Amino acid sequence: MRTVGAEVGEVSRAGQEDLSAPRAVPNGSLQRHHLEPTFGSVNVTDISPPFVRRWRADKLASGTGPTTVAKAYALLRAILGTAVADQMIRRNPCTIQGASTVHTPERPTATVQEVYDLADAIQPRYRVLVLMAGFLGLRWGELIGLHRRDLDLEAGALRVRRAVTELNNGEREIKAPKSAAGKRTVSIPAVIVPDIRDHLERYAEPGADGRVFVGAKGATPRRNHFNRLWHKACESAGVKGLHFHDLRHTGNTLAASTGASTRELMARMGHSTARAALIYQHASADRDRLIAEALSGLVDRGRRPKGHAGGTAG
């Protein structure tokens, strides 16, 4: 008898095109909590489409979140797909159209003024962290992984060469970006260069290898502590429902509004396509500089002058 549990180990070696497989297999909690209780000891030949439909309906009815159910279904489909490839079964019983699709609502973006309001509301040592996230579109781990030598303010550019990752056990890992596209040079909008210079003078570690962003006690910022500061800043600035990572989406959207091409945006933001096994094509430095200059003008026009109360007299 070949059970679902016996098939799990084969999925990572299957080499299938099913995009759910490589992502889902490492997540043992899906297997333990959502598949094994029902399928763990069941022979794969006894799993039918009605069996799968009943399991999925029961999971949803019991209150399991739709996203979790979709991921568990994707893992089950990948496991049974391996059983098909191994000729254990003739057809995959996971036949529910769209059941493995995770519906993620579109995240909000901030306006230029909201980015500045949030930057002014947060602790001063993190002001430039907010500006760089919002106008350069860098990830959290990329930002806190920056060293002084990565910034060339005369040329108006920075190099993304590493990222800091927080593990589940609380330890942190410093490593190169996860894809070739993530290792890149990004032009800085001129409008925020003076802010960065001021930050380097006041808060960054000294020396070429000094970290650009450190906490009050000299430690690399932790996401959970920063999130508390972020929530306070959002409340103070009157910005609701915005996560820090949404600033990256904001930077992406602003850059796109300058007329940059898809390839240029991918190069600037460190994006790569999931399906293509191609050599990453990077935008030229000259063209990226034009994008940054256009973005700088957009930010400058969108920022409300200090002391302007807003609104009109009625």
Side-chain angles (χ1 to χ4, degrees):
M1 182 179 76
R2 190 66 176 257
T3 66
V4 168
E7 286 295 317
V8 170
E10 298 297 322
V11 177
S12 59
R13 298 188 292 273
Q16 296 179 12
E17 292 299 317
D18 188 337
L19 296 180
S20 65
R23 291 191 182 115
V25 170
N27 194 339
S29 65
L30 287 176
Q31 178 193 341
R32 289 192 304 274
H33 299 301
H34 302 290
L35 297 187
E36 284 187 358
T38 301
F39 300 105
S41 60
V42 177
N43 192 323
V44 293
T45 60
D46 293 332
I47 300 176
S48 63
F51 191 170
V52 174
R53 287 196 297 270
R54 186 165 60 250
W55 162 78
R56 179 175 176 271
D58 288 345
K59 296 299 292 184
L60 292 170
S62 69
T64 304
T67 296
T68 300
V69 174
K71 290 179 179 179
Y73 181 90
L75 177 55
L76 179 64
R77 187 180 65 180
I79 292 168
L80 295 174
T82 302
V84 173
D86 290 345
Q87 299 183 348
M88 300 294 299
I89 53 178
R90 295 183 62 185
R91 296 182 180 85
N92 195 322
C94 294
T95 58
I96 306 172
Q97 190 74 22
S100 61
T101 302
V102 177
H103 298 283
T104 304
E106 184 176 352
R107 294 300 310 163
T109 60
T111 65
V112 167
Q113 186 57 49
E114 284 174 336
V115 174
Y116 273 104
D117 289 345
L118 288 164
D120 291 339
I122 206 160
Q123 282 188 6
R125 68 173 53 252
Y126 297 121
R127 182 176 187 276
V128 163
L129 183 77
V130 172
L131 295 180
M132 291 176 73
F135 300 142
L136 274 72
L138 298 186
R139 302 172 176 90
W140 165 263
E142 294 171 343
L143 286 163
I144 63 173
L146 288 173
H147 292 190
R148 281 180 178 266
R149 67 168 66 251
D150 298 321
L151 275 64
D152 184 348
L153 297 186
E154 296 302 321
L158 64 79
R159 297 182 303 166
V160 178
R161 294 295 179 265
R162 72 194 68 78
V164 178
T165 302
E166 294 186 29
L167 306 178
N168 291 335
N169 61 6
E171 294 181 1
R172 283 179 287 201
E173 189 175 75
I174 300 174
K175 57 185 179 181
K178 59 185 178 181
S179 70
K183 195 173 183 179
R184 64 203 188 277
T185 298
V186 181
S187 294
I188 305 169
V191 69
I192 66 170
V193 168
D195 297 288
I196 298 174
R197 288 189 191 278
D198 181 67
H199 173 87
L200 294 176
E201 291 177 6
R202 292 172 179 265
Y203 302 112
E205 282 186 327
D209 286 324
R211 291 167 296 169
V212 173
F213 297 107
V214 292
K217 297 181 179 179
T220 298
R222 286 193 176 274
R223 190 63 181 269
N224 58 353
H225 174 258
F226 179 82
N227 280 342
R228 291 195 290 270
L229 301 178
W230 173 254
H231 294 318
K232 290 180 181 178
C234 287
E235 185 177 352
S236 176
V239 178
K240 297 181 179 179
L242 192 76
H243 298 167
F244 180 79
H245 189 73
D246 294 332
L247 291 181
R248 174 170 162 78
H249 185 39
T250 297
N252 219 343
T253 302
L254 288 171
S257 72
T258 67
S261 70
T262 299
R263 192 176 72 181
E264 289 165 341
L265 288 171
M266 287 171 60
R268 183 173 179 83
M269 299 300 164
H271 283 173
S272 60
T273 58
R275 285 175 269 178
L278 302 172
I279 297 174
Y280 297 105
Q281 293 178 296
H282 297 274
S284 70
D286 289 342
R287 179 57 185 158
D288 193 47
R289 164 52 46 199
L290 292 176
I291 295 172
E293 288 174 357
L295 181 55
S296 184
L298 188 151
V299 169
D300 209 20
R301 291 191 298 274
R303 185 184 184 188
R304 186 172 62 239
K306 285 192 173 182
H308 179 65
T312 57

